[in-house]
Amino acid sequence: MTQSRNPARLTARRTVVAAVGAGGLGAALAACGDDPGDSGDSGDSGSEQVKPQESGGGAPLGTTGEVPEGGGKIFKDEKVVVTQPEPGEFKAFSAVCTHQGCIVSSVEDGTINCACHGSKFAIADGSVTKGPATQPLPAEDVRVDGDALRRG
């Protein structure tokens, strides 16, 4: 007995699989892949010091008092971690681990830590201090406004 196939139905099914497959692949590459334009050794990990700002502007994150000296604070909802490697020096990085896209879990002993697979990043520049991550945490644009920390 032969089975009748409906070509339109098969095409539609393939289209859905292709669309989902491409979206999943894009997400996987974004979370785990190396930046094709990055040679891996630029000499600067892209860390950016939090810039002082006059007044207003930017969505508020928290206060400078929430960020301990020699440590940091993770703002999970905003996917940002702000560190204070030296007294009065604030740095901001993405809180999304460059290994597989988990949100980092803690800031302790001079490192930003990801509990998913054990990656650790330096609080001063976001560089990898322990893998499996191979790329640093990207710098984020956060500004100091008095004692407030603000996005952008």
Side-chain angles (χ1 to χ4, degrees):
M1 177 193 264
T2 60
Q3 236 178 337
S4 172
R5 293 187 176 212
N6 180 343
R9 185 174 180 190
L10 291 175
T11 301
R13 189 174 291 154
R14 268 187 250 133
T15 302
V16 170
V17 170
V20 170
L25 177 61
L29 289 175
C32 294
D34 291 338
D35 179 359
D38 185 6
S39 67
D41 185 21
S42 65
D44 178 14
S45 70
S47 74
E48 186 172 311
Q49 187 165 341
V50 176
K51 299 174 186 114
Q53 181 173 328
E54 293 206 2
S55 183
L61 281 176
T63 67
T64 56
E66 295 176 75
V67 182
E69 289 180 15
K73 174 157 172 80
I74 301 165
F75 298 93
K76 288 184 181 183
D77 291 343
E78 294 82 4
K79 297 181 180 164
V80 172
V81 58
V82 177
T83 64
Q84 189 177 179
E86 299 292 330
E89 176 187 19
F90 296 90
K91 305 273 185 146
F93 307 97
S94 170
V96 179
C97 180
T98 57
H99 175 239
Q100 286 193 346
C102 295
I103 300 297
V104 295
S105 56
S106 66
V107 182
E108 299 171 340
D109 301 324
T111 60
I112 301 163
N113 309 305
C114 182
C116 289
H117 300 103
S119 293
K120 294 179 182 265
F121 305 88
I123 64 169
D125 61 8
S127 63
V128 177
T129 62
K130 179 179 180 249
T134 60
Q135 298 295 312
L137 293 175
E140 289 286 331
D141 190 14
V142 172
R143 302 189 184 283
V144 175
D145 178 12
D147 68 346
L149 297 168
R150 297 185 180 276
R151 293 294 305 251

